[in-house]
Amino acid sequence: MGYIDEARENHVKKKVEEALRSKMKQKALKECDQYTAKYAQCSTGRTFSVVWKCRQQAKELNQCLHQFTNDAVLEEMKKEYMLQQDGKGSVRL
């Protein structure tokens, strides 16, 4: 399968992709809740110093979020969506 065929296979409408991205971000925040809480606790009562005082917590949070919000995850979600749509289409026939 060539690059163009593969691109067509994984192509979804812009609104669908935006919805999938939103879903991906929500899942990431849920999965990384413990790191979000640590960062929030560290940053409470701080203003500018949060940058250097909470650097480790921010790094841990970003690493966790990146596991669930990257291009590979989005492509997998697109494939699942397309398979669901194909399944719905074949049921109607």
Side-chain angles (χ1 to χ4, degrees):
M1 180 180 305
Y3 177 76
I4 294 174
D5 292 331
E6 188 175 322
R8 283 187 188 137
E9 183 179 300
N10 292 333
H11 179 73
V12 293
K13 292 183 179 181
K14 188 77 170 168
K15 286 189 177 192
V16 172
E17 184 172 336
E18 289 173 6
L20 290 173
R21 283 185 188 276
S22 178
K23 186 177 177 182
M24 178 176 64
K25 289 176 185 178
Q26 288 174 354
K27 181 183 177 190
L29 287 172
K30 184 178 177 183
E31 294 290 332
C32 299
D33 189 47
Q34 66 185 22
Y35 296 105
T36 304
K38 283 183 184 178
Y39 182 73
Q41 182 181 9
C42 178
S43 63
T44 301
R46 300 183 195 276
T47 52
F48 297 114
S49 66
V50 74
V51 175
W52 59 86
K53 291 284 187 176
C54 302
R55 183 173 286 151
Q56 183 61 35
Q57 291 85 348
K59 183 178 178 182
E60 291 172 354
L61 176 59
N62 285 332
Q63 287 174 341
C64 181
L65 290 173
H66 184 69
Q67 292 176 15
F68 300 100
T69 57
N70 58 52
D71 291 337
V73 173
L74 182 61
E75 290 302 316
E76 188 62 35
M77 291 177 76
K78 285 181 187 180
K79 286 179 185 177
E80 288 175 17
Y81 174 81
M82 296 300 283
L83 287 173
Q84 289 174 354
Q85 294 306 309
D86 287 346
K88 288 179 183 177
S90 63
V91 171
R92 290 184 207 161
L93 297 176

